[in-house]
Amino acid sequence: MIRFAVALLLCIMAMGKVSAQELIVIESPNLKCNDSILVFTPKNVNEQTPTLFLLHGWSGCYKDWSKKHDIQEISNRTNFRIICPDGFYNGWYLNNTDPEKMQWRTFFWSELFPMMQKKFNLVPERTFITGLSMGGHGAMNLFLDNPDMFKSAGSMSGVLDLELTPLKKNQIPEVIGDKVERLAQESAINRVHKLEGKNKPFIISCGYDDFYVRCTDLFSEKCRYMGIPHFALLTPGKHSWPYWGFALEQHIAFFQKLMRGDNLGY
């Protein structure tokens, strides 16, 4: 397995302060190609700095978040290291049913996460994951894979039930095939039982004018039925970058409360 990292120190003068972004490129046998990862490290980084994996949505790439919002400024202000990997245009953060094609989930757990864990000294109590739309589903699915590796997780406008997206007709089958049962098997809503009995509160949010709000509603309903602690935030908003910028701030604030041990109301 060949890996290489390229550090790009992009000096940005903002209010008289210098910030740095790092581009890490992993040549992955599991992806059959390279994955580019943008890392935003806060100016006051220390050994207690928390880390957030931030996933993009369908048809996007690793640069999406930083193109639409000032992720370096958010990193500096919140003191979160923010890692933005490439989930590819239609990857869904899943393993392709064809073993000769992209195995993204395996890539995350066998390559990306261990590399970030070693490079940045990640510990579960200060490690989080969230994402938007396709990335909201990916973030929750990865959290459900290994909840003990994260303090918490989130989903913004997440496609938490793959059966509730029109993309199930001609996009998702490119990844998981055309068998209807695979949609259910791979959907985060049908894997949330893995959190039963664990005190792992998480946050799911959506604009109530978003066409995926039903996914958030149903996911929350199922969690309530199972007694799984979670915070569901429904506010004005559509499937849009202004909403996701707002939601990201809410998710980070929630993660900060968890780390501080604040009163969460239960």
Side-chain angles (χ1 to χ4, degrees):
M1 184 181 301
I2 300 173
R3 294 191 178 107
F4 60 91
V6 181
L8 298 182
L9 296 181
L10 307 177
C11 294
I12 304 171
M13 298 307 296
M15 299 177 64
K17 297 178 181 179
V18 178
S19 301
Q21 300 172 22
E22 186 176 6
L23 174 66
I24 298 174
V25 181
I26 302 178
E27 184 180 356
S28 169
N30 288 299
L31 297 180
K32 328 300 180 189
C33 64
N34 296 343
D35 194 272
S36 297
I37 303 102
L38 272 178
V39 180
F40 301 85
T41 298
K43 60 181 181 296
N44 295 322
V45 64
N46 57 59
E47 61 183 16
Q48 299 300 312
T49 295
T51 293
L52 173 64
F53 287 89
L54 183 59
L55 308 185
H56 66 77
W58 181 78
S59 78
C61 72
Y62 69 101
K63 294 184 286 187
D64 275 14
W65 273 103
S66 55
K67 281 183 177 180
K68 299 296 184 179
H69 296 286
D70 191 344
I71 301 301
Q72 186 63 63
E73 186 279 327
I74 294 171
S75 172
N76 290 340
R77 173 165 44 84
T78 63
N79 205 45
F80 267 72
R81 177 185 291 107
I82 300 177
I83 299 175
C84 299
D86 201 329
F88 300 93
Y89 189 100
N90 187 43
W92 290 92
Y93 305 96
L94 296 170
N95 285 348
N96 197 293
T97 52
D98 182 347
E100 299 302 314
K101 295 182 179 179
M102 188 175 292
Q103 307 293 301
W104 205 96
R105 207 142 156 197
T106 299
F107 160 74
F108 182 85
W109 288 116
S110 66
E111 298 180 79
L112 176 58
F113 192 88
M115 178 183 281
M116 298 298 100
Q117 190 175 41
K118 182 177 181 180
K119 182 176 177 65
F120 299 119
N121 191 32
L122 305 188
V123 295
E125 285 299 300
R126 295 190 298 275
T127 303
F128 303 85
I129 187 168
T130 191
L132 69 90
S133 195
M134 178 182 85
H137 181 268
M140 286 308 304
N141 244 353
L142 291 167
F143 178 55
L144 293 169
D145 280 347
N146 286 297
D148 293 338
M149 300 302 291
F150 301 98
K151 178 70 172 177
S152 185
S155 166
M156 313 172 211
S157 308
V159 190
L160 298 172
D161 186 343
L162 298 180
E163 297 189 69
L164 297 181
T165 173
L167 296 172
K168 71 179 182 179
K169 295 180 180 179
N170 58 8
Q171 294 295 320
I172 297 178
E174 293 181 5
V175 181
I176 63 173
D178 57 5
K179 293 183 178 179
V180 176
E181 60 268 24
R182 285 301 302 274
L183 282 172
Q185 291 169 1
E186 298 289 359
S187 291
I189 195 169
N190 295 322
R191 304 180 70 238
V192 73
H193 61 275
K194 293 177 177 290
L195 292 176
E196 284 188 287
K198 292 181 176 288
N199 185 23
K200 285 281 183 175
F202 57 88
I203 182 170
I204 52 175
S205 58
C206 196
Y208 52 66
D209 295 316
D210 190 315
F211 43 82
Y212 286 128
V213 68
R214 181 163 167 75
C215 288
T216 298
D217 279 339
L218 291 175
F219 199 87
S220 176
E221 182 180 335
K222 188 166 187 177
C223 289
R224 294 196 302 272
Y225 176 77
M226 292 184 168
I228 296 171
H230 68 289
F231 291 73
L233 180 65
L234 298 182
T235 60
K238 299 180 180 180
H239 209 71
S240 66
W241 280 106
Y243 174 77
W244 297 321
F246 163 79
L248 176 59
E249 299 281 357
Q250 300 302 308
H251 285 214
I252 291 177
F254 175 73
F255 298 152
Q256 289 172 324
K257 287 179 179 292
L258 286 177
M259 287 191 296
R260 290 193 302 261
D262 290 357
N263 174 19
L264 297 178
Y266 73 96

